[in-house]
Structures are given as C-alpha cells and as structure tokens.
C-alpha cells in the first residue's frame, strides 16, 4: 500500500514528498523532531510528546507551525491515511526555508512541518527473550542533549559503531566516566537491592517519554527509583540493566562491552517492568476513533 506524508499543509505520496534545498533543517540541522508510538491505532503518551516538542521548539526560538490541537489532528490523519494499527508517527519541524545564512532569518519565515507515519514490525521474540548487547562509546555531543534536535551526527556514529560490533546500542560515557544515555535510548540499571537507577534529567540527556512513564509505573508498584548518575563500571557490575525508548519500549541489556550481566538473560525485574509498560501501552492510548481507521 502506498504511503502518505504530510508536508507543509499537504498530504502527498511518500515518494513525492520533498522539502526545499534551502530548508534550514537540511542546511544547518536547525530543527527538532518527535517520534510517537502508535499502538492499536492509539498515540501513546501523545500529550507528553507534544509538551516535549513545544519545549524543544521554544528552547530554539522556533514558533509552533500551528496549534497543538491542529497538529494532533495532522498526526491522527497521517496515521489514518497510512492505514496501520501499530507503528510510529515521525514529526519534524525546521526553522523554515531561507537563503543560507547562519543567524535566524529576519523577518522570521514559516517553520516547516513534516509528518510521516508507518507500520513497524513487532520487536522480535529473540530480542525480548534474550536481551541485547551494548558497547560503550565516548559521549562527544553538545551540552543541550535535552533538546530533541535533528542534529544527530554523534548519535549516528555511535549507533554505527554498535552495529559494526554486533551490538544493538551504544552507551555513551561522559568525561567523568558516567553513562549519559544510548544513541537513541535512555539507560537503566538495577542494583542488588532491586532499586532502579537512571540518570537524572538535565541537559546531558533527552527527557525520554518512555523513561518518564516507566518511573511513574514503577513507583506506583512500590519499586524504588533512584535518579542519579552511574558509572560504566557500576553498570557492568549491576544485577540487571535495560534501556527504554518509544520504539524499544523496555528491552533487557545482557552484555556491556565484554561483560555479561547476571546469567546472560534479561532479569526478573526487567521482565516485570517490560510487562508493566506493555500493559500500559495496551490500555492507555489517545484513541483514534476506530471509524477513522
Ligand atoms: N535518548 C535519545 C538520545 C533518543 O534519541 C531517544 C529516542 N528519541 C531517547 C533517549 C528515548 O526517548 P523516548 O522514550 O521519548 O523515545
């Protein structure tokens, strides 16, 4: 079935969707993005994604291209036109099109909005059952990783390093030896007391929506969550480890560099947390009316 994209006010066939060569997203990576999971036709934590999108835009002084309510309609309509139930919506907003010059265009131009949506394959049973390996990499990114910027070159490089070493993800490590986050995921460990430990939200990491949701779900279960930094060494001696993201949900990490964690399988608590999150997703979406699907 042919895919449909939304580009600056129009729904167009995916293969014909394009932006101008002087779009500042293309020229300077001057833009932001969001990825929202769609589960059984529903947007998962859509309000939190919208809130983060608005924050990223305002940190970069890019105007909202339309109201949040109108954008939500576009997200749902893009899902509807692509006719799938489980997948993702991808949203990208750049500062707009202007003659190439580093400072912001003056007067400001209209921000450019692109929305795509597609079905995604279910996570493989192998990944769920056996977990994944990660490698460590130096975190060479800028100091505003809290902004969900489309400037992702360091992330591309660490993900490729992981791929070429047969790992799923790279855990980035700051100059003091502390793990910041993965190339596209947040990082977690579980200590001997069963406490969840995850890096606090500040400028060094993205405030992951899955992370935020899982903290709530875990606390509601009475699980103690410590938002604090941990070193790579602490991670390697942790009882369990896992990562979270919109597309990976909660996925067990069983190997960090050459160190195998526990018995080499996703741990009990990781599996419990994954179960909590999957249950949350199946029950809590902002439903697209089924008549629209
Ligand atoms: N960190 C980075 C660098 C990411 O790119 C992502 C995914 N966009 C995450 C963390 C996870 O965030 P979320 O749970 O909102 O997908």
């Amino acid at each position: 079935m042919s895919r449909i994209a939304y580009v600056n006010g129009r729904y167009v066939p995916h293969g014909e969707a394009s932006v101008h060569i002087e779009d500042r997203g293309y020229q300077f990576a001057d833009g932001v993005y969001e990825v929202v999971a769609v589960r059984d036709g529903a947007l998962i934590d859509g309000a939190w994604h919208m809130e983060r999108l608005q924050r990223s835009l305002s940190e970069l002084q890019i105007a909202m291209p339309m109201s949040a309510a109108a954008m939500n309609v576009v997200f749902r309509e893009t899902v509807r036109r692509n006719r799938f139930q489980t997948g993702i919506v991808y949203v990208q907003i750049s500062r707009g099109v202007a003659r190439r010059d580093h400072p912001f265009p003056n007067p400001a131009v209209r921000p450019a909005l692109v929305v795509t949506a597609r079905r995604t394959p279910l996570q493989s049973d192998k990944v769920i059952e056996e977990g994944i390996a990660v490698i460590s990499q130096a975190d060479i990114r800028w100091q505003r990783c809290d902004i969900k910027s489309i400037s992702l070159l360091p992330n591309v490089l660490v993900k490729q390093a992981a791929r070429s070493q047969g790992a799923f993800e790279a855990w980035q490590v700051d100059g003091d030896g502390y793990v910041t986050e993965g190339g596209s995921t947040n990082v977690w460990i579980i200590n001997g007391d069963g406490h969840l430990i995850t890096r606090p939200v500040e400028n060094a990491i993205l405030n992951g929506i899955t992370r935020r949701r899982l903290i709530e779900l875990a606390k509601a279960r009475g699980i103690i969550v410590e938002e604090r930094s941990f070193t790579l060494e602490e991670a390697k001696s942790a009882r369990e480890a896992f990562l979270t993201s919109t597309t990976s949900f909660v996925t067990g990490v069983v190997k960090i560099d050459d160190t195998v964690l526990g018995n080499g399988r996703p741990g009990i608590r990781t599996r419990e947390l994954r179960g909590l999150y999957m249950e949350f997703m199946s029950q809590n979406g902002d439903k697209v009316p089924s008549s629209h699907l």
Side-chain angles (χ1 to χ4, degrees):
M1 200 210 64
S2 58
R3 292 180 60 198
I4 302 292
Y6 173 93
V7 185
N8 294 324
R10 296 196 310 138
Y11 293 94
V12 291
H14 194 266
E16 292 165 28
S18 59
V19 293
H20 194 278
I21 57 167
E22 286 195 305
D23 185 287
R24 289 179 61 96
Y26 179 64
Q27 294 281 353
F28 296 113
D30 185 0
V32 303
Y33 75 108
E34 274 298 326
V35 181
V36 188
V38 179
R39 199 87 182 167
D40 303 322
L43 266 57
I44 302 300
D45 274 327
W48 285 2
H49 281 278
M50 185 63 77
E51 183 186 302
R52 187 173 68 182
L53 179 63
Q54 287 180 290
R55 179 179 181 279
S56 293
L57 288 169
S58 94
E59 290 299 307
L60 298 180
Q61 299 166 55
I62 299 175
M64 281 278 276
M66 59 179 70
S67 70
M71 223 187 305
N72 252 317
V73 171
V74 172
F75 297 169
R76 284 147 199 270
E77 180 62 12
T78 309
V79 171
R80 189 189 72 78
R81 289 185 185 232
N82 285 280
R83 301 196 178 283
F84 67 90
Q85 292 284 317
T86 297
I88 53 165
V89 178
Y90 176 84
V91 184
Q92 179 166 319
I93 299 171
S94 78
R95 197 178 303 278
V97 176
R99 195 180 68 191
R100 190 178 186 284
D101 189 15
H102 288 69
F104 300 169
N106 186 11
V109 291
R110 199 164 58 96
L113 171 61
V114 170
V115 182
T116 58
R118 66 177 169 88
R119 185 190 315 275
T120 48
L122 293 174
Q123 226 178 4
S124 78
D125 288 343
K126 186 170 157 50
V127 164
I128 299 167
E129 295 303 320
E130 297 178 13
I132 49 112
V134 303
I135 59 165
S136 59
Q137 291 278 293
D139 192 337
I140 61 166
R141 300 174 302 162
W142 71 331
Q143 291 172 16
R144 292 305 308 273
C145 294
D146 55 310
I147 300 171
K148 200 162 168 59
S149 151
I150 57 173
S151 173
L152 288 170
L153 199 43
N155 308 59
V156 166
L157 294 177
V158 295
K159 292 288 266 197
Q160 180 55 31
R163 178 71 54 85
S164 64
Q165 293 180 43
F168 175 83
E169 178 59 295
W171 279 16
Q172 299 171 99
V173 181
D174 68 18
D176 299 321
Y178 291 96
V179 181
T180 52
E181 61 184 335
S184 62
T185 56
N186 287 115
V187 295
W188 306 68
I189 56 173
I190 299 174
N191 71 8
D193 297 324
H195 296 185
L196 295 191
I197 302 161
T198 192
R199 176 136 184 155
V201 165
E202 19 74 356
N203 293 358
I205 67 165
L206 184 74
N207 185 358
I209 302 299
T210 322
R211 174 190 180 284
R212 184 172 164 192
R213 177 56 66 193
L214 193 67
I215 288 174
E216 277 212 7
L217 295 171
K219 286 185 174 168
R221 265 281 174 114
I223 297 170
I224 294 173
V225 181
E226 295 179 28
E227 291 187 69
R228 64 162 173 86
S229 296
F230 57 85
T231 62
L232 186 61
E233 291 318 307
E234 185 177 1
K236 286 182 179 174
S237 60
R239 178 186 284 181
E240 299 179 32
F242 63 92
L243 50 79
T244 54
S245 78
T246 295
T247 50
S248 293
F249 318 122
V250 175
T251 297
V253 170
V254 296
K255 196 172 166 216
I256 305 173
D257 294 327
D258 291 327
T259 306
V260 174
L261 303 188
N263 64 359
R265 313 274 297 183
I268 289 178
R269 183 131 272 185
T270 299
R271 282 184 275 136
E272 177 192 356
L273 291 162
R274 181 185 167 84
L276 278 180
Y277 190 73
M278 299 317 275
E279 187 190 350
F280 162 78
M281 284 216 295
S282 65
Q283 292 171 0
N284 290 269
D286 316 326
K287 274 274 180 231
V288 181
S290 52
S291 59
H292 284 200
L293 290 168

